[in-house]
């Protein structure tokens, strides 16, 4: 976690170089550990990049920098459960999109190689209290997210490989996980953490046009991966039957069929969710559901299968024929059934900071507050296998911590201080610099001089 | 302009400065004509055949009638009037579809008035979304219902968004549950001139005409920037560049000015009893001419500050006014100019960087404009965001308060009520809580700027149109019957 502090100072002279991890005590704070009950007024101590202590009666250690929270709220850093942050800069500029691939690769596409630690959108996300993100590939030609009629122009898919490249591949590729510490040249915490696949309309498009084809092809691919894993030597000698996927794609699917790596299944309609659950049971693989607008219809089945869900709590429109049953209390109903729910911000419009408000919206529609907080912290950490280090405030965990001016799920609050690995992060971003330039008083010269 | 009535719309478009009857009864009877040395040939005053005279067009008149209502007093709420006031423990009295009284706890409640105990709740004017594609890009978003962009020519000023509105769009019901009582439905931005907008009352209706806001002026959707040049450049046509966009605008305005002159000449001759040939009616030029006459409001999609400045110069060259820039993500850079020109800016609070022209979007756009004294509108352009414009306004307000601007709720509420009403030409009818205004009201469960706030009841012209706690007032689209969820969404 602290591997790169020295490097950071060297690499980023142009940015505000992060300080070394000092010992910091945040006092007079409402502390929301997420893993346990809130501490109405207490102190949290960050030391050597980790959480050293937290509680009501904690005295700041000698020599610690003391920050008086004045009643502000301390939470774990927020985690984006599934985004394109660092892999896509401007969704409408194809050259800046590395979050999907063309038909050359399928499951093997590795988004970890797309991560740009200098992305100008990182500062924006961090300013919204986001300290980590799962970075997940999208299918080219299948759209990046829900709101396709953005700015009411004619919609054009800008993911790589979309233009004239034919049908998208069956699998989107492999997901990564990044932390957003300023000045680090390597943000990737983990790669090849899941393989993405779509069912329903997008999946049908990738499989030649119909739902009936997509499950058959997915099952066939998994069977091929098993055969490939059993006898790679035979494959190398050309002594196996013909496989439907390339060596690279099969290699990427081996950990999936071995149950080590989940499939991230993008799916919407209740019947397609049932198909996903059955696929997982039949193939003995792990899955994560993303989307799941009609998840509430099959909530007990999802809970019984122990499958977590990543969703957008704003989805309440029949925007397509596979989201007819969308409703605002989807998160609440899934949670009540016992499903682990993570809540996404907007994948589009660089609006990841919407995720905490989406959690608030879910709370307004029946999700218990504690589950709302967990949906943007501990739940995504668990889903992505990071919960041993981040996602909650516990002694010994990495000090990814945010101090908020008020309720972190509320519109009128903002992140006052953000710590990653115990280091206070710069609060500026390209957006705040633009703001400050034009908020500054006129000095008689063009703004370019400000 | 504000007293302009829909049924007189077509008349106003072409006949400003002349009376409507002048074309039919004011001809051939000038006493001076007969006394002239060489008598002018007598011309018979015949009206043009049906449909050839835009001034005589019947159009597509509103058939909107308010739902049933009764005199009601809301007592005890915190009221944001959108005139700059916050009234604690206030009273709003509504009768005959209008607001009849507003004030503090002492406000008199007339006899025979139903009393709604609103203690602990908040009341605001109905939310107005100045940029919506509900009905024209409805749910479900399938190509058979993709009716928002007539992307066949850079100038389609002849199309009217109202002819694409599908009143069964389930999005209208969702928006109403978010407090939206009035919407401006715009054509898309594929074209330089996308066509006419229409303003709708957000009530369930079998027909578009049944939603049409009586007396609201039309808008003209214009689009600068990336969309038109991408769409037509991609087809090997003009415009393919920003300069091509501007040439396209100017050519159209030249044609419109010429058309306006021809009709004015024709009507002047007819009025004088002279022989005259009517120009052929042209739907595209009818709309553009309506802008030049000041009767159709320009709603101009334009992200970048430098392009806004160019659009302002085009408007000066041809003598029309830009009412509002939409998606005006960079307006904060030229707040003083926009304040001086009295042009509103409609913006999202938090979308940024999704295309080159949106790269400089900042959360504080609205706040910086407000500080500069310019007109701010928060819009959605989105069937999801329209349901929570209150939250979007809260994000924009908070971005300003983070800078220490001290923007109050009483101010920020205007961004989604009074200001869009003004920019849609209906500011004298709705958008604020004042005696005489339409009783378009939202009763919120709590501070509407909170993420946890919910619209509990929504009133349009004094009639309850949505009630979160009463299934009888939760209308469903025909489309949703017999489908998963039966149209229930909360």
């Amino acid at each position: 976690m602290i591997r790169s502090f020295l490097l950071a100072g060297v690499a980023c002279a142009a940015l505000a170089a992060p300080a070394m991890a000092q010992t910091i005590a945040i006092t007079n704070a409402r502390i929301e550990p997420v893993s346990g009950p809130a501490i109405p007024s207490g102190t949290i101590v960050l030391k050597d990049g980790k959480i050293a202590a937290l509680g009501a009666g904690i005295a700041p250690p000698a020599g610690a920098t003391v920050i008086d929270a004045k009643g502000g709220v301390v939470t774990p850093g927020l985690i984006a459960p599934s985004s394109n942050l660092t892999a896509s800069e401007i969704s409408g500029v194809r050259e800046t999109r590395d979050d999907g691939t063309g038909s050359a690769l399928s499951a093997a596409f590795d988004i970890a190689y797309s991560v740009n630690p200098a992305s100008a959108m990182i500062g924006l996300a961090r300013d919204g209290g986001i300290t980590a993100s799962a970075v997940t590939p999208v299918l080219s030609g299948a759209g990046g997210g829900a709101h396709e009629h953005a700015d009411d122009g004619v919609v054009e898919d800008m993911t790589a490989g979309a233009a004239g490249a034919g049908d998208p591949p069956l699998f989107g590729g492999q997901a990564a996980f990044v932390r957003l510490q300023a000045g680090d040249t390597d943000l990737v915490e983990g790669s090849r953490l899941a393989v993405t696949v779509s069912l329903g309309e997008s999946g049908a498009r990738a499989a030649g046009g119909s739902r009936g084809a997509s499950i058959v092809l997915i099952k066939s691919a998994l069977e091929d991966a098993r055969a490939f894993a059993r006898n790679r030597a035979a494959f190398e000698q050309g002594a196996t039957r013909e496989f439907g996927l390339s060596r690279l794609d099969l290699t990427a699917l081996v950990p999936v069929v071995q149950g080590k790596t989940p499939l991230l299944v993008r799916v919407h309609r209740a019947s397609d969710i049932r198909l996903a659950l059955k696929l997982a049971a039949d193939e003995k693989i792990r899955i994560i559901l993303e989307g799941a607008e009609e998840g509430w219809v099959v909530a007990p089945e999802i809970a019984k299968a122990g499958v977590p869900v990543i969703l957008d709590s704003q989805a309440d429109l029949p925007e397509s024929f596979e989201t007819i049953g969308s409703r605002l209390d989807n998160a609440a109903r899934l949670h009540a059934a016992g499903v682990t729910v993570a809540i996404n911000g907007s994948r589009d419009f660089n609006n990841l900071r919407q995720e905490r408000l989406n959690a608030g919206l879910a709370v307004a529609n029946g999700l218990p507050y504690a589950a709302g907080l967990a949906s943007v912290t501990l739940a995504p950490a668990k889903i992505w296998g990071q919960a041993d280090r981040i996602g909650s405030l516990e002694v010994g965990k990495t000090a990814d911590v945010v101090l908020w001016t008020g309720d972190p799920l509320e519109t009128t609050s903002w992140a006052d201080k953000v710590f990653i690995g115990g280091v206070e992060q710069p609060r500026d971003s390209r957006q705040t610099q633009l703001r400050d330039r034009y908020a500054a008083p006129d000095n008689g010269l063009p703004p370019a001089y400000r | 302009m504000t007293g302009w009535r829909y049924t007189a719309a077509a008349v106003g478009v072409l006949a400003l400065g002349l009376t409507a009857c002048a074309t039919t009864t004011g001809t051939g009877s000038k006493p001076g004509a007969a006394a002239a040395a060489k008598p002018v040939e007598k011309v018979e005053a015949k009206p043009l055949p049906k449909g050839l005279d835009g001034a005589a067009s019947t159009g597509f008149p509103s058939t909107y009638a308010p739902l049933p209502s009764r005199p009601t007093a809301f007592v005890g709420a915190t009221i944001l009037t959108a005139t700059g006031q916050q009234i604690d423990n206030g009273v709003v009295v509504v009768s005959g579809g209008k607001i009849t009284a507003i004030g503090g706890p002492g406000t008199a409640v007339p006899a025979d008035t139903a009393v709604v105990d609103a203690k602990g709740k908040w009341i605001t004017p109905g939310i107005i979304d100045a940029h919506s594609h509900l009905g024209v890009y409805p749910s479900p978003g399938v190509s058979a219902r993709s009716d928002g962009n007539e992307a066949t020519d850079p100038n389609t000023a002849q199309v009217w968004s109202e002819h694409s509105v599908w009143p069964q769009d389930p999005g209208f019901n969702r928006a109403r549950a978010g407090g939206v009582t009035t919407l401006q439905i715009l054509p898309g931005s594929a074209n330089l001139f996308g066509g006419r907008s229409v303003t709708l009352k957000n009530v369930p209706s079998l027909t578009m005409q049944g939603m049409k806001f009586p007396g609201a002026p039309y808008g003209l959707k214009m689009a600068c920037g990336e969309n038109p040049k991408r769409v037509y450049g991609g087809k090997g046509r003009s415009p393919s560049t920003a300069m091509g966009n501007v040439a396209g605008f100017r050519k159209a305005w030249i044609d419109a000015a010429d058309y306006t002159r021809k009709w004015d000449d024709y009507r002047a001759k007819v009025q004088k009893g002279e022989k005259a040939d009517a120009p052929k009616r042209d739907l595209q030029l009818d709309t553009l001419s309506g802008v030049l006459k000041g009767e159709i409001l320009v709603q101009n999609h334009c992200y970048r500050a430098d392009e806004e400045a160019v659009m302002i110069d085009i408007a000066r060259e041809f003598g029309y006014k830009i009412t509002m820039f939409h998606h005006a993500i960079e307006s904060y850079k030229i707040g003083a100019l926009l304040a001086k020109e009295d042009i509103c800016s409609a913006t999202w609070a938090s979308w940024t960087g999704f295309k080159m022209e949106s790269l400089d979007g900042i959360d504080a756009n609205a706040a910086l404009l407000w500080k500069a004294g310019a007109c701010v509108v928060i819009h959605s352009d989105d069937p999801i965001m329209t349901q929570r414009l209150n939250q979007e306004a809260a994000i924009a307000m908070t971005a300003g308060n983070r800078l220490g601007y001290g923007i109050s709720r009483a101010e920020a509420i205007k961004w989604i009520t009074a200001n869009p009403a003004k920019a849609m030409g209906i500011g004298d009818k709705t958008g604020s809580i004042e005696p005489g205004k339409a009783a378009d009201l939202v009763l919120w469960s709590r501070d509407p700027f909170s993420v946890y706030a919910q619209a509990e009841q929504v009133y349009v012209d004094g009639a309850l149109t949505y009630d979160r706690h009463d299934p009888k007032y939760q209308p469903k689209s025909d489309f949703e019957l017999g489908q998963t969820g039966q149209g229930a969404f909360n």
Side-chain angles (χ1 to χ4, degrees):
Chain A
M1 269 345 86
I2 39 178
R3 63 194 144 85
S4 48
F5 290 145
L6 288 174
L7 197 71
V10 177
C12 294
L15 296 170
M20 299 290 290
Q22 303 164 305
T23 300
I24 292 160
I26 306 173
T27 61
N28 291 321
R30 176 182 174 84
I31 299 171
E32 294 278 3
V34 181
S35 50
I39 300 157
S41 182
T43 295
I44 182 167
V45 179
L46 319 181
K47 192 179 176 199
D48 297 330
K50 299 206 185 300
I51 296 165
L54 75 165
I58 307 280
T65 303
V66 176
I67 297 167
D68 184 352
K70 295 176 181 153
V73 181
V74 171
T75 69
L78 306 189
I79 299 170
S82 177
S83 87
N84 52 16
L85 184 66
T86 69
S88 167
E89 193 78 357
I90 305 165
S91 58
V93 177
R94 191 186 302 277
E95 297 85 341
T96 71
R97 300 275 313 255
D98 294 303
D99 56 339
T101 187
S103 47
L105 283 181
S106 179
F109 171 70
D110 188 345
I111 207 166
Y113 296 119
S114 302
V115 170
N116 174 16
S119 165
M121 302 304 170
I122 292 174
L124 182 65
R126 207 167 43 214
D127 192 43
I130 294 172
T131 57
S133 176
V135 190
T136 57
V138 287
L139 289 183
S140 61
H147 312 299
E148 281 214 17
H149 282 297
D151 105 334
D152 51 273
V154 170
V155 176
E156 195 181 350
D157 194 285
M158 293 285 182
T159 44
D167 287 337
L170 196 59
F171 296 94
Q174 301 173 91
F177 193 87
V178 295
R179 279 170 68 232
L180 304 177
Q181 59 274 18
D184 197 343
T185 54
D186 182 8
L187 304 181
V188 178
E189 285 288 305
S191 58
R192 304 177 187 180
L193 297 180
V195 173
T196 71
V197 70
S198 296
L199 294 183
E201 292 177 11
S202 299
R205 209 152 47 228
S210 162
R211 281 177 167 80
S214 66
I215 290 282
V216 172
L217 288 176
I218 292 166
K219 285 179 84 85
S220 166
L222 297 175
E223 193 183 319
D224 287 357
R226 279 199 188 88
F228 170 78
R230 270 196 307 272
N231 197 346
R232 286 191 198 217
F235 179 87
E236 298 294 347
Q237 290 156 17
T240 54
R241 64 178 168 82
E242 200 181 325
F243 293 137
L245 292 175
S246 71
R247 178 178 59 86
L248 295 172
D249 293 327
L250 291 170
T251 304
L253 286 173
V254 167
V256 173
V257 295
Q258 291 173 339
K260 292 178 187 160
T261 298
L263 270 187
L264 176 71
V265 184
R266 297 202 169 101
V267 60
H268 312 283
R269 198 170 79 182
S271 65
D272 290 325
I273 295 172
R274 284 197 188 97
L275 281 178
L277 296 175
K278 183 162 187 330
L279 177 78
D282 290 353
E283 301 286 334
K284 298 186 174 55
I285 59 171
R286 290 164 53 212
I287 61 171
I288 303 162
L289 301 180
E290 182 175 347
E293 286 83 355
E294 291 188 355
W296 61 274
V297 178
V298 285
E301 294 159 65
I302 300 172
K304 193 168 163 229
V307 168
V309 172
I310 299 169
L311 57 81
D312 175 357
S313 62
Q314 297 188 93
D316 70 345
L317 272 168
E319 288 192 84
S320 69
F321 273 93
E322 57 186 355
T323 59
I324 295 278
S326 303
R327 38 187 307 142
L328 290 168
D329 56 5
N330 190 30
R333 288 171 180 237
L334 285 166
H335 171 79
V339 177
T340 296
V341 174
I343 293 182
N344 245 343
S346 170
R347 192 178 181 100
D348 307 310
F349 315 118
N350 294 304
N351 197 13
L352 297 181
R353 51 219 152 109
Q354 180 74 29
E355 82 170 30
R356 66 186 181 91
L357 305 180
N358 287 352
L361 176 68
V363 170
N365 285 282
L367 185 69
Y369 184 81
L373 266 186
S375 74
V376 289
T377 53
L378 193 53
K382 282 181 177 163
I383 288 171
W384 293 103
Q386 310 291 318
D388 57 330
R389 290 164 296 135
I390 58 173
S392 60
L393 303 178
E394 296 175 69
V395 172
K397 272 197 166 181
T398 301
D400 290 3
V401 170
V402 180
L403 169 59
W404 302 88
T405 57
D407 178 355
L409 307 188
E410 185 57 279
T411 51
T412 47
S413 309
W414 62 86
D416 193 29
K417 291 186 187 300
V418 177
F419 301 87
I420 300 182
V423 178
E424 185 170 354
Q425 299 295 302
R427 284 183 53 201
D428 72 330
S429 65
R430 193 169 171 277
Q431 274 71 17
T432 59
Q433 291 183 27
L434 279 163
R435 177 196 70 193
D436 294 344
R437 167 175 281 185
Y438 289 92
D442 189 347
N443 64 359
L445 287 171
Y449 292 95
R450 288 179 210 147
Chain B
M1 191 174 321
T2 45
W4 198 83
R5 300 192 60 78
Y6 168 74
T7 46
V11 174
V13 167
L14 289 171
L16 190 87
L18 304 171
T19 59
C21 59
T23 55
T24 51
T25 62
T27 55
S29 56
K30 291 267 162 145
K38 203 175 168 195
V40 176
E41 194 191 337
K42 192 96 174 165
V43 176
E44 252 187 80
K46 267 209 309 203
L48 290 170
K50 248 178 145 35
L52 283 188
D53 186 351
S57 168
T58 53
F60 304 84
S62 171
T63 58
Y64 167 75
L67 299 178
S69 68
R70 54 177 184 167
T72 306
F74 301 88
V75 177
T78 304
I79 302 167
L80 297 173
T81 61
T83 59
Q85 266 192 300
Q86 174 175 325
I87 302 172
D88 296 327
N89 195 15
V91 176
V92 186
V93 185
V94 163
S95 181
K98 304 268 188 234
I99 293 157
T100 53
I102 161 91
T107 306
V109 175
D112 300 327
T113 300
V115 172
V116 173
D117 178 7
K119 266 210 165 38
K121 321 255 187 219
W122 289 57
I123 292 176
T124 67
I127 306 303
I128 300 177
D129 192 348
H131 194 118
S132 173
H133 300 290
L134 290 179
V136 302
Y137 278 127
S139 296
V142 294
S143 59
R145 288 276 155 77
S146 181
D147 287 323
N149 265 312
E150 180 64 28
T152 53
D153 193 273
N155 182 354
T156 59
Q158 70 274 17
V159 305
W160 298 21
S161 66
E162 65 197 63
H163 300 139
S164 280
V165 169
W166 180 46
Q168 298 286 347
D169 182 355
F172 287 118
N173 295 330
R174 309 299 193 276
R176 192 180 312 108
V180 175
T181 55
T182 304
L183 303 134
Q184 175 167 236
I185 310 298
L186 292 150
S189 57
N191 305 341
L192 299 172
F193 298 94
R196 286 194 197 197
S197 69
V198 65
T199 295
L200 300 179
K201 290 266 185 186
N202 193 8
V203 291
S205 169
L206 279 176
T207 64
M208 168 278 294
Q209 293 92 326
M211 304 172 79
K212 207 163 172 178
F213 196 117
Y218 282 109
L220 170 64
K221 172 71 176 284
M222 294 174 64
C224 32
E226 294 176 16
N227 289 358
K229 69 189 176 110
R230 187 184 70 239
V231 169
Y232 294 97
K235 296 175 180 178
R237 296 177 58 185
S238 183
S240 69
T241 60
M243 58 190 174
N245 283 354
V246 172
F249 292 130
R250 297 175 81 203
K251 180 191 182 306
W253 290 123
I254 290 166
D255 290 346
D258 189 50
Y259 180 77
T260 306
R261 179 183 61 80
K262 284 179 179 153
W263 272 98
D264 286 351
D265 286 354
Y266 164 73
R267 296 203 195 284
K269 280 186 182 165
V270 169
Q271 194 169 31
K272 281 192 270 180
E274 293 172 20
K275 188 174 178 186
D277 243 357
K280 185 179 174 190
R281 184 182 179 201
D282 183 307
L283 290 174
Q284 185 180 94
L285 293 167
D286 269 359
T287 292
L288 297 180
S289 184
V291 170
L292 296 179
K293 301 266 188 187
E295 287 143 3
I296 294 180
L297 310 182
V298 170
Q299 308 288 348
N300 196 341
H301 159 126
C302 209
Y303 284 79
R304 266 170 36 195
D306 58 316
E307 293 194 322
E308 290 176 358
V310 169
M311 295 312 290
I312 290 171
D313 278 349
I314 296 172
R316 283 208 190 101
E317 182 181 10
F318 294 95
Y320 67 89
K321 176 166 169 46
I322 299 165
T323 298
M324 180 150 74
F325 287 120
H326 293 237
H327 311 344
I329 248 174
E330 285 192 10
S331 278
Y332 67 93
K333 298 183 181 179
I334 53 167
L337 173 65
L338 295 166
K340 185 173 134 259
E341 297 286 330
D342 190 27
I343 299 173
C344 294
S345 294
T347 182
W348 307 280
S350 48
W351 289 5
T352 183
F354 47 95
K355 58 200 303 202
M356 274 310 284
E357 61 189 358
S358 73
L359 194 56
D360 288 0
I362 62 171
D363 288 11
N365 185 24
L368 264 59
L369 283 164
W370 175 83
K371 187 84 171 166
C375 165
V376 175
V377 170
I378 301 292
H379 70 358
S380 81
D381 183 31
D382 182 86
I384 295 287
M385 188 190 287
T386 195
Q387 303 175 43
R388 278 171 293 281
L389 281 172
N390 54 318
Q391 288 184 23
E392 199 67 8
I395 295 166
M397 175 183 78
T398 300
N401 291 339
R402 214 177 144 172
L403 291 170
Y405 284 2
I407 305 171
S408 67
R409 285 161 172 72
E411 276 297 303
I413 194 68
K414 293 179 188 172
W415 302 347
I416 51 173
T417 55
N419 292 3
K422 174 194 161 198
M424 289 155 62
I426 51 174
D428 59 330
K429 299 177 177 65
T430 187
S432 58
I433 304 181
E434 298 174 87
K437 288 269 178 90
D440 296 344
L441 299 170
V442 185
L443 181 68
W444 300 91
S445 59
R446 54 190 288 173
D447 169 11
F449 290 86
S450 166
V451 76
Y452 308 114
Q454 291 178 319
E456 293 197 334
Q457 294 185 334
V458 180
Y459 293 82
V460 178
D461 286 314
L464 182 63
T465 57
Y466 172 76
D467 189 329
R468 183 170 295 269
H469 304 299
D470 186 348
K472 288 203 300 289
Y473 289 93
Q474 295 167 4
K476 310 277 194 292
S477 157
D478 287 353
F479 172 74
E480 294 181 288
L481 295 183
Q483 310 247 34
T484 304
Q486 290 281 347
F489 53 90
N490 61 28

